[in-house]
């Protein structure tokens, strides 16, 4: 199982990127297949991958949209084919689970969660 972590500074101070690197390094034994971190203002997220299949090795997280939404995802989608069919016009060539989840959120808003079938954990930040 991959590892997710994050920081939100309620005082609006920018996240210390060195702290995110330290967090990532501390989580490396649980996510030995690399990962990434992302900070934007008072929010920062860390992802450490534990890849279980070929497609998970091709994911790059945190996933950040042009609108500033940030997603880190770990899980299994049992309804991938259905989501691809429903979201076809909103997907790029990348149909990773994380991209399917983000496309679901962008289409259905917070109502997207019941549409995801499978075991998962996620963290989603939406800027307002």
């Amino acid at each position: 199982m991959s590892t997710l972590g994050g920081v939100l500074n309620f005082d609006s101070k920018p996240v210390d990127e060195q702290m995110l690197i330290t967090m990532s390094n501390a989580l490396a034994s649980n996510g030995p297949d690399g990962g990434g971190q992302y900070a934007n203002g008072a929010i920062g997220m860390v992802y450490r991958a534990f890849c279980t299949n070929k497609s998970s090795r091709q994911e790059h997280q945190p996933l950040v949209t042009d609108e500033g939404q940030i997603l880190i995802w770990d899980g299994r989608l049992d309804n991938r084919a259905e989501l691809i069919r429903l979201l076809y016009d909103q997907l790029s060539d990348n149909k990773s689970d994380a991209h399917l989840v983000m496309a679901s959120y962008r289409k259905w808003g917070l109502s997207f969660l019941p549409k995801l079938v499978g075991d998962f954990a996620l963290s989603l930040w939406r800027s307002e």
Side-chain angles (χ1 to χ4, degrees):
M1 177 170 268
S2 298
T3 306
L4 320 176
V7 175
L8 172 61
N9 287 334
F10 290 104
D11 60 5
S12 300
K13 290 182 181 174
V15 169
D16 178 359
E17 292 194 40
Q18 184 58 50
M19 180 179 60
L20 291 180
I21 293 168
T22 301
M23 184 186 303
S24 180
N25 291 337
L27 298 173
S29 63
N30 295 327
D33 297 322
Q37 58 267 342
Y38 178 80
N40 186 358
I43 184 78
M45 291 193 185
V46 172
Y47 174 77
R48 291 298 306 192
F50 186 90
C51 298
T52 58
N53 58 42
K54 183 178 178 181
S55 65
S56 66
R57 293 189 186 285
Q58 297 171 3
E59 284 190 345
H60 299 284
Q61 294 189 52
L63 176 59
V64 181
T65 68
D66 293 338
E67 294 82 19
Q69 297 138 337
I70 310 165
L71 172 72
I72 47 180
W73 159 270
D74 179 45
R76 183 192 75 244
L77 284 175
D78 294 336
N79 63 331
R80 281 182 54 77
E82 175 189 11
L83 290 173
I84 289 170
R85 183 178 48 77
L86 293 170
L87 300 165
Y88 183 79
D89 60 335
Q90 298 178 22
L91 293 171
S92 65
D93 289 337
N94 190 333
K95 294 178 181 62
S96 70
D97 285 357
H99 280 86
L100 286 170
V101 171
M102 182 59 83
S104 296
Y105 167 70
R106 293 174 83 180
K107 179 170 182 154
W108 296 302
L110 292 178
S111 312
F112 83 107
L113 285 168
K115 298 179 187 323
L116 305 179
V117 178
D119 294 329
F120 60 88
L122 65 85
S123 182
L124 174 68
W125 175 260
R126 57 186 185 137
S127 52
E128 308 231 10

